[in-house]
Each structure stands twice: as C-alpha cells, then as structure tokens.
C-alpha cells in the first residue's frame, strides 16, 4: 500500500452459525459501532478495535439462508472495512469488505455528509441447513483465540509498510485473556458447566500467524461442525486449528465436579506459547491440576504427519447434509469433470529491498479504485491487467507487484492446488465459496495424485492449511458471480501481496446470477464521475 492515506484495517468476521428451525429466509439486522479501546490480553495495554465495546466482537446468531444486514459505524480516525470470514455471501461481492470490492468506510470525522459514515453489508448464511437435526447441546460457548502482538495496529502496519516482517507474536489469548497456571481465578473462567450436560464450543482461530492446538483436561471433544459443514462426529483429545479456521465441538461435563484447564498452545513455531482458560463445574471444588494434557508430537516431521492425519479424519456427514446439496449444487462433487486446474504457489521475495509475498510470481497491491467497480464501470484496463497469475506457475521466486485478478468462467468446476514450497505453514481463504478439501499431502503435486483424493466425503469448507513443503487440493463450482478474494489468512502475508481476486462474471450479467450494485454502495477512485452502468435485469 503506497499511500499513507490508505491506512486500512480489515477485521475478519467470524459469525457464530447458531442453529435452529427458522422461518423462510429471515432478515437479521445488526448495528455495530467500531471504536478504539484498550486491550491487554497479555497484560500490556495497547489500543485495540472494539465492536460495540467488545473484544472479541459480538456473535451473529444466524442459520442457513438468513439475510444479515450489518450497519457499521466507523468511529475510528482511519478508514475501516469488515470482511466476512465465516459466512458465505451469495451473488453479492459488492459488500464483501475487501479493498478489491468496496471503498473503505471513511472515518467519521472526514465524511462530508454525515457525522458518521456507514455501510451496509448483506450476507447470506449458508449453514447449517435450516432443518437439519442439530446435535443436542445445553448451551453454547463462543471461543475466539489466537496469537497476539503487544504492538498496536499502527506500529504493526508501519513495520509492514517499511518492508519488514512483524516477526513472532508475544503470546496467545483466549477470548481476550491469557493465563498460566496460577493466574487469578476470576480471569480464567471460560465456561461454567453443569455435571451431566453437553455443551457446544464454537472455536475460531482469529490470530495473525500461528496455528494452535487446543484440548481440555480430562475431557474429550466430539467434532460436529467445521466451517459450516456437519462432520462425522469423531471424538478427539485435541484439535489443531489454523489461522482463520472455525469449528464446533460438543463437550459433555462427565467428570468429577471440579475445574479443568482448557489449554491452547502454538503449533509449528520455534517458540511454543501456551495459554490456559478454565472449564469450571458449577458447585465444583478444587483447583485445576497443574499437569496439562500433552500437546501433539513436537518433532516437526511427526507433528506435521499427526496434523495431516487429523485433517484426513475430518469427513463430511452425508446423513446430516443430505437434506440439501451444498450451495454449489454439487453434492456428488466426485463425479464432476474438472474443467480447470489452477496451481497456486506462494513465495516470499525482496522487491526494491522490501519484503513482499506473492502468488505465482505476482504480489498483489490494492488500487485506489476497487477492482470490482473498475470492472463494472468498464474501465478495468485503467486499473489492472487480467491473468498476470497463470494457472501453471513458472518463476515464483521473482515477484511483480501489481493488482492481481484472474478471469474465471461462470459455472466451471475448478480444482485449485495450493503448493507450499516454503518452510512455514500456510492457510488460505476463498471468499464467496466453500470448496471440497479433497487432499493434503507432503511433497509436490502431480496429476497422478488425483488418485488419492477423497471424492466421497471431503468437508465443504472455506479455508485450507498447507503444511511446509506440502500441497493441498480443493474443488469447487464457480457458480457465485462476483469478484472474490483468494488470500493468505495470515495477515502479514496477505497485506504484503499474498492474495488475488477471481473475477467470475456470468455471461448474461443477469440478476439471476448477481445482485445489482446496492444503492448504498460508496464510489471512489476513477469511477467517481463516470455514468452509472445500466443495472442488471
Ligand atoms: C452506536 O452509537 C450510537 C451513538 O453514537 C448509539 O446511539 C447507538 O445506540 C450505538 N449502538 C450500539 C449497538 O451500541
Ligand atoms: C439464536 O437464535 C435462536 C433463534 O432466534 C434463539 O433460539 C437462540 O436462543 C439464539 N442464541 C443465542 C446464543 O443468542
Ligand atoms: C484427570 O485425569 C488424570 C489422568 O487420568 C487423573 O489422574 C486425574 O485424577 C483426573 N482429574 C480429575 C479431577 O478427575
Ligand atoms: C451425522 O449427523 C447426525 C445429525 O447431527 C448425527 O446424528 C450422526 O451421528 C452423524 N453421523 C456420524 C457418522 O457421525
Ligand atoms: C428439509 O427441507 C427441505 C425443503 O425445505 C425438504 O424438502 C426436506 O424434506 C427437509 N428435510 C428434512 C430432513 O426435514
Ligand atoms: C466426464 O468426462 C468423460 C470423459 O471425457 C465423459 O465420458 C463423461 O461423460 C464426462 N462426465 C460428465 C458428467 O460430463
Ligand atoms: C477477462 O474478462 C474480461 C471482461 O469480460 C475480458 O475483457 C477479457 O478479455 C477476459 N480475459 C481473458 C484472458 O479471458
């Protein structure tokens, strides 16, 4: 980001997809005030960003096919955008909350017409299915955890803008708190449970960099949901969760009434951070025992193998999902012929002495005019060049810095291979879609590897991790028209270029395939004085 004007914060939004039988396609309205506040999960106060005074922000309680309208009031002194991480927007990339699709919400102070600026975001929840039989759970707990930097976002941004890495985080928090054995009890309680009851924990890794593993002393966890898809209900002692990922587990309070540690530790990082919270039985007594449940193997190779095996154990629950095909309508995805294979290779390099990250040799940079608007107003050639990223990468060690957009054909069934030749783990997120995560393996991908794909019950999800020197394959039908961001879920990497956009235009430009640009859409950049294109019909 060249200009200092475009100081941008994008928060990922993890919606708690809470279940329940509901009326047809209801609308849910939310009002969110975005303000600064002081946060100190690791004890060091720093300015942080709050939504309605809370960190982590409020939970959106929705189910499939809900329409969610969020009015966001930016009370900060800098532009702001919110992007959807846990909800799939259909036919509406206009409000996807990325700089390639929307103008940032300007700070209240500088908005000419109003004391506050606002934007509306309409999203459609896709999951879980409205009439699915949800596992019984007495109560739900939302757990947002992740790594934490004691430097504030302004300091972190200036490090990145100067072309350096923000380095390692300072610790891990669980719902904004960080504790060790011996921390005062009032700081630690994550959940109070009643003996005999079963609880659902929705856990999201909202960190910037670190994968984590989480586990609960003396309790097992039954996985029931992964990024909106019902899973085969396997039981785990501990689960890996990579940046940007969310899942739900059921935990039955079947132990002696007491206190038990909920343990989170970092994975695949040289320095291991461990943070605790407490699962507390009502009327329980006694302290949580200081012997913590062990993490997965620490030897790097074993650790990766362990985590890959766990990934392979995640299966789509065909019984629970059968009432409704996935949004792409490709329930029998294994029978669809692949129409395009895109290999995505991440890399890092110095460009003019500054650190950049890229995809297939292209390091994305945002333009002042959102790409979607440039395309819609017919001036894309003034803003970006299509297809700098090729499906078959050649030289990925040298990076070209430019806005990065590939064209895709509406309704193509594509296979995306994420190839990680680096020594650090990656996580990826595709907006607007869920995809079938059919394989993760060490080494390099070749077409013969397709024999090993899970073509029956891979989980339909919207993030995928890629281990060091490994690859991952996903498949999806490109049936959601729009300009969709494919990015590293690790903020440093996406900010410094490891992202691109996929332009999916329906040939008819019809309302059936894509909503019209909303009347509330803010216009910025070179399209500001251009005549409005004819709406879709
Ligand atoms: C947001 O702030 C305005 C005042 O600035 C207030 O009227 C409104 O109630 C707030 N909304 C929420 C949800 O906190
Ligand atoms: C979520 O919404 C459903 C349906 O409106 C309601 O029954 C449930 O109590 C809500 N859950 C939370 C945690 O707000
Ligand atoms: C938890 O499990 C450990 C190991 O099996 C056992 O020694 C301990 O007594 C259990 N704690 C409680 C409170 O039941
Ligand atoms: C699939 O989901 C249903 C409904 O939640 C559940 O009853 C069933 O046990 C699950 N199947 C498996 C194999 O876990
Ligand atoms: C779920 O709803 C769909 C349509 O609303 C209906 O066709 C289907 O039978 C329902 N499935 C179950 C398990 O109730
Ligand atoms: C897939 O491709 C094969 C071989 O080209 C062809 O025989 C088959 O009909 C195709 N299937 C579908 C569903 O298009
Ligand atoms: C990409 O789409 C644009 C807009 O429809 C079109 O002008 C361009 O020719 C396409 N490029 C390729 C390589 O398909």
């Amino acid at each position: 980001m060249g200009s200092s004007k475009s100081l941008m914060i994008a928060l990922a939004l993890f919606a708690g997809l809470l279940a329940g039988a509901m009326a047809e396609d209801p609308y849910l309205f939310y009002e969110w005030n975005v303000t600064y506040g002081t946060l100190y999960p690791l004890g060091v106060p720093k300015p942080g960003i709050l939504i309605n005074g809370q960190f982590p922000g409020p939970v959106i309680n929705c189910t499939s096919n809900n329409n969610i309208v969020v009015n966001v009031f930016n009370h900060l002194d800098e532009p702001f955008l919110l992007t959807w991480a846990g909800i799939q927007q259909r036919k509406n990339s206009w409000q996807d909350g990325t700089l390639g699709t929307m103008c940032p919400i300007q700070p209240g102070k500088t908005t000419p017409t109003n004391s506050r600026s606002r934007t509306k975001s309409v999203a459609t929840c896709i999951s879980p299915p409205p009439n699915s039989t949800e596992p019984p759970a007495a109560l739900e707990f939302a757990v947002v955890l992740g790594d934490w930097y004691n430097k504030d976002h302004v300091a972190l941004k200036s490090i990145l803008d100067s072309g350096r890495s923000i380095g390692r985080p300072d610790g891990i928090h669980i719902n904004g708190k960080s504790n060790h054995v011996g921390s005062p009890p009032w700081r630690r309680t994550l959940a109070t449970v009643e003996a005999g009851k079963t609880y659902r924990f929705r856990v999201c890794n909202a960190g910037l960099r670190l994968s984590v593993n989480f586990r609960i002393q003396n309790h097992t966890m039954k996985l029931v949901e992964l990024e909106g898809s019902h899973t085969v209900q396997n039981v785990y002692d501990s689960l890996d969760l990579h940046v940007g990922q969310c899942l739900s587990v059921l935990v039955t309070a079947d132990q002696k009434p007491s206190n038990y540690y909920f343990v989170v530790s970092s994975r695949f990082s040289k320095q291991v951070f461990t943070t605790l919270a407490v699962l507390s039985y009502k009327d329980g007594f006694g302290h949580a025992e200081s012997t913590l449940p062990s993490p997965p193997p620490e030897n790097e190779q074993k650790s990766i193998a362990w985590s890959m095996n766990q990934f392979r154990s995640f299966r789509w629950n065909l019984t629970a999902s059968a009432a409704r095909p996935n949004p792409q309508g490709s329930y029998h995805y294994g029978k669809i012929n692949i129409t395009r294979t895109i290999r995505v290779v991440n890399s890092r390099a110095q460009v003019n002495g500054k650190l950049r990250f890229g995809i297939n040799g292209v390091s994305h940079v945002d333009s002042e005019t959102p790409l979607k608007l440039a395309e819609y107003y017919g001036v894309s050639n003034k803003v970006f060049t299509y297809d700098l990223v090729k499906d078959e990468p050649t030289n990925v060690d040298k990076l070209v810095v430019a806005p990065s957009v590939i064209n895709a054909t509406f309704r193509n069934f594509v296979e995306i291979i994420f190839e990680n030749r680096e020594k650090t783990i990656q996580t990826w997120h595709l907006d607007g879609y869920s995809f079938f995560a059919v394989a993760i393996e060490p080494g390099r991908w070749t077409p013969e590897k397709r024999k090993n794909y899970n073509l029956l019950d891979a989980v339909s999800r919207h993030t995928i991790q890629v281990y060091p020197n490994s690859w991952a394959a996903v498949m999806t039908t490109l049936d959601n028209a729009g300009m969709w961001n494919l990015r590293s879920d690790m903020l440093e990497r996406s900010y410094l270029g490891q992202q691109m956009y996929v332009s999916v235009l329906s040939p008819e430009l019809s309302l059936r395939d894509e909503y019209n640009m909303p009347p509330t859409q803010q216009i910025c950049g070179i399209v500001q004085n251009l005549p409005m294109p004819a709406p879709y019909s």
Side-chain angles (χ1 to χ4, degrees):
M1 296 208 184
S3 92
S4 59
K5 271 196 312 200
S6 58
L7 180 65
M8 167 60 52
I9 315 148
L11 287 192
L13 211 142
F14 296 97
L17 298 170
L18 306 189
M22 306 196 72
E24 288 297 302
D25 297 359
Y27 271 78
L28 306 178
F29 295 90
Y30 292 88
E31 181 176 80
W32 287 355
N33 286 322
V34 179
T35 59
Y36 293 116
T38 304
L39 300 174
Y40 36 89
L42 310 184
V44 179
K46 77 164 187 184
I49 292 168
L50 310 181
I51 296 179
N52 292 348
Q54 301 171 39
F55 173 85
V59 168
I60 291 184
N61 178 4
C62 64
T63 185
S64 305
N65 303 323
N66 285 175
N67 294 297
I68 305 168
V69 180
V70 183
N71 281 319
V72 181
F73 293 88
N74 181 4
H75 298 271
L76 310 178
D77 58 7
E78 54 195 309
F80 178 81
L81 273 184
L82 273 173
T83 184
W84 301 98
I87 293 181
Q88 186 188 119
Q89 297 209 91
R90 300 292 297 169
K91 303 199 256 180
N92 183 11
S93 68
W94 303 108
Q95 295 167 320
D96 196 40
T98 57
L99 284 169
T101 55
M102 286 176 82
C103 312
I105 310 169
Q106 295 301 320
K109 277 185 211 141
T110 57
T111 309
T113 52
N114 202 317
S115 63
R116 288 183 304 246
S117 31
R118 62 185 251 173
T119 190
K120 259 189 179 177
S121 222
V122 181
T124 304
C125 275
I126 52 115
S127 159
N131 57 0
S132 76
T133 45
E134 272 292 305
L139 237 182
E140 309 229 347
F141 296 104
V143 184
V144 176
L145 46 80
D147 54 42
W148 187 263
Y149 289 76
N150 284 330
K151 290 195 177 78
D152 66 34
H153 69 276
V154 177
L156 293 175
K157 181 179 178 295
S158 79
I159 294 172
L160 293 175
D161 288 342
S162 75
R164 288 174 296 138
S165 165
I166 55 174
R168 285 194 213 120
D170 297 297
I172 293 179
H173 72 90
I174 305 172
N175 281 353
K177 295 177 189 144
S178 181
N179 293 288
H180 304 282
V181 173
S183 298
W186 58 268
R187 272 187 64 93
R188 307 180 307 189
T189 304
L190 177 69
T192 302
V193 298
E194 281 177 51
K197 290 195 172 162
T198 297
Y199 297 82
R200 181 178 189 139
F201 288 76
R202 296 176 183 272
V203 191
C204 288
N205 182 340
L208 303 189
R209 172 182 292 234
L210 296 180
S211 298
V212 299
N213 177 273
F214 68 93
R215 47 208 183 267
I216 309 174
Q217 279 182 325
N218 297 54
H219 291 76
T220 55
M221 303 180 286
K222 187 189 271 188
L223 182 72
V224 293
E225 177 261 348
L226 193 56
E227 294 166 20
S229 288
H230 291 282
T231 57
V232 165
Q233 300 181 353
N234 296 326
V235 173
Y236 297 88
D237 290 327
S238 79
L239 283 157
D240 276 358
L241 192 63
H242 307 279
V243 175
Q245 301 186 342
C246 295
L247 52 74
S248 298
V249 291
L250 298 186
V251 176
T252 300
D254 56 3
Q255 297 294 304
K256 196 171 78 191
S258 182
N259 290 299
Y260 298 88
Y261 282 124
F262 181 102
V263 186
V264 181
S265 57
S266 58
R267 296 276 279 145
F268 314 111
S269 65
K270 285 206 185 75
Q271 186 180 353
V272 179
F273 299 101
T274 302
T275 297
L276 308 173
V278 171
L279 177 78
S280 183
Y281 279 61
K282 217 172 161 181
D283 308 321
F285 49 88
H287 295 293
E289 284 162 23
S290 56
T291 316
L292 301 180
S294 5
E298 282 182 21
N299 161 291
E300 179 164 327
Q301 284 317 311
K302 280 189 188 152
S303 182
I304 290 173
W306 184 97
S307 198
M308 280 190 187
N309 277 338
Q310 184 168 83
F311 162 83
R312 293 187 191 116
S313 74
F314 298 157
R315 299 294 170 115
W316 209 24
N317 182 334
L318 299 175
T319 322
S321 314
R324 183 190 59 116
N326 75 311
Q328 283 85 30
S330 47
Y331 172 59
H332 296 291
Y333 66 94
K335 300 209 169 92
I336 306 175
N337 287 337
I338 296 165
T339 35
R340 180 173 176 187
T341 299
I342 306 170
R343 287 172 72 176
V344 165
V345 180
N346 52 280
S347 63
R348 65 187 291 156
Q350 296 284 315
V351 178
N352 299 329
K354 291 183 166 189
L355 175 65
R356 298 290 307 182
F357 296 92
I359 296 176
N360 296 6
V362 184
S363 183
H364 171 82
V365 67
D366 290 304
S367 50
E368 203 189 332
T369 310
L371 308 169
K372 177 69 182 166
L373 298 185
E375 188 178 67
Y376 183 65
Y377 279 82
V379 291
S380 57
N381 60 339
K382 297 212 176 86
V383 177
F384 63 90
T385 307
Y386 286 101
D387 297 333
L388 294 176
V389 162
K390 308 291 179 218
D391 289 2
E392 282 290 331
T394 46
N395 182 6
V396 300
D397 298 323
K398 197 169 172 301
L399 293 177
V400 172
V401 179
S404 187
V405 182
I406 63 167
N407 260 6
T409 305
F410 191 55
R411 300 231 162 92
N412 261 11
F413 187 67
V414 299
E415 170 190 44
I416 306 175
I417 314 294
F418 295 98
E419 243 178 70
N420 181 14
R421 304 177 186 172
E422 296 188 62
K423 292 194 205 97
T424 55
I425 192 166
Q426 309 288 319
T427 60
W428 292 93
H429 181 274
L430 175 60
D431 282 359
Y433 287 92
S434 55
F435 46 62
F436 294 98
V438 294
I440 295 187
E441 286 191 15
R444 291 281 174 91
W445 180 84
T446 58
E448 293 76 62
K449 304 279 185 184
R450 291 189 182 121
K451 289 200 297 279
N452 304 342
Y453 286 4
N454 175 355
L455 292 180
L456 177 67
D457 58 359
V459 179
S460 172
R461 52 190 301 181
H462 46 71
T463 74
I464 186 82
Q465 72 270 18
V466 195
Y467 299 93
N469 296 309
S470 302
W471 56 270
V474 305
M475 293 173 149
T476 192
T477 302
L478 296 178
D479 64 350
N480 191 14
M483 176 76 79
W484 300 108
N485 190 225
L486 173 70
R487 63 176 172 274
S488 169
D489 251 332
M490 297 170 174
L491 188 72
E492 167 173 285
R493 286 183 166 261
S494 56
Y495 186 81
L496 294 180
Q498 192 174 319
Q499 55 167 307
M500 66 177 190
Y501 285 83
V502 183
S503 167
V504 184
L505 288 176
S506 84
E508 288 94 22
L509 293 178
S510 116
L511 266 183
R512 190 198 56 204
D513 301 329
E514 185 173 14
Y515 296 147
N516 268 315
M517 187 170 83
T520 52
Q521 192 84 0
Q522 290 184 37
I523 303 297
C524 54
I526 63 166
V527 300
Q528 274 182 99
N529 298 316
L530 296 181
M532 178 81 165
Y536 302 151
S537 50

